[in-house]
Amino acid sequence: MARRHDPGRRQRIIDAAIRVVGHRGIAGLSHRTVAAEADVPLGSTTYHFATLDELLVAALRQANEGFAEVLDGSGVLDDPHGDLAAGLARVLGEWLGGERTGVELEYELYLAALRRPALRPVAAEWTDETARRLAGRTDPVTARALLALLDGICLQVLLTGGEYDEAYAREVLARVIP
């Protein structure tokens, strides 16, 4: 039997894994659930991703692009004279105000690195890359502090189910920026 050429299959599997984690959490992720969600044979998932950790790494890499795209698209880091605290608070509001399931998914995958060492380098890459972006507008230490604060605000909103308060975020971010 001839193998059917399907160049998009690997990406469909990653997308399916993200949807499975979004609906069922990481505990609901298996090669079988992803294959069913992607509508591909089970062997395709194991061909492209021998382990679930490999699949989670690919999913986390893709999920990490969400905040970076919002941040880059905002232009807040491009204006050296703009109000960085106000800009970051606005960006955070846009991100949290978008597809909440996507934001929750990003954090679930990011925090999964606590128990899955294979994910730690990907989480570290995201942290380093985002801090590098922020350091273009401030110093590296302040950039790391801003990132920690942004993460903390996001987690509080997500975990409490509360509303995002942009004025509060702007005020506390401004306190960190020299």
Side-chain angles (χ1 to χ4, degrees):
M1 176 165 68
R3 176 176 275 196
R4 195 176 68 154
H5 181 65
D6 186 0
R9 184 172 287 191
R10 183 177 192 281
Q11 184 60 52
R12 282 200 325 274
I13 292 168
I14 295 168
D15 293 341
I18 289 172
R19 287 192 304 274
V20 168
V21 172
H23 296 303
R24 302 180 186 184
I26 290 176
L29 186 75
S30 70
H31 281 104
R32 189 171 306 284
T33 58
V34 171
E37 179 70 25
D39 194 25
V40 299
L42 178 60
S44 289
T45 62
T46 57
Y47 172 79
H48 289 285
F49 304 98
T51 68
L52 286 180
D53 279 349
E54 287 179 19
L55 182 54
L56 281 169
V57 163
L60 179 56
R61 278 210 165 91
Q62 182 167 312
N64 280 346
E65 295 170 3
F67 182 72
E69 287 173 2
V70 173
L71 183 61
D72 290 346
S74 73
V76 74
L77 299 179
D78 300 331
D79 181 3
H81 304 295
D83 184 341
L84 182 58
L88 290 174
R90 181 179 37 79
V91 167
L92 199 57
E94 288 173 18
W95 190 56
L96 286 168
E99 172 65 38
R100 181 64 65 100
T101 304
V103 175
E104 291 171 355
L105 171 68
E106 283 190 51
Y107 270 97
E108 184 167 0
L109 288 167
Y110 183 60
L111 293 172
L114 291 170
R115 300 273 185 227
R116 292 181 177 264
L119 296 178
R120 289 180 188 158
V122 181
E125 287 169 17
W126 180 86
T127 300
D128 292 344
E129 179 57 28
T130 306
R132 185 194 62 72
R133 281 181 166 103
L134 293 170
R137 284 288 316 271
T138 187
D139 63 274
V141 172
T142 302
R144 288 267 181 196
L146 288 171
L147 183 54
L149 185 53
L150 292 168
D151 271 341
I153 292 169
C154 285
L155 284 171
Q156 286 177 358
V157 169
L158 293 173
L159 295 174
T160 65
E163 292 295 317
Y164 174 68
D165 183 344
E166 186 173 322
Y168 164 78
R170 183 176 55 250
E171 182 178 336
V172 297
L173 288 164
R175 290 180 184 195
V176 173
I177 298 169

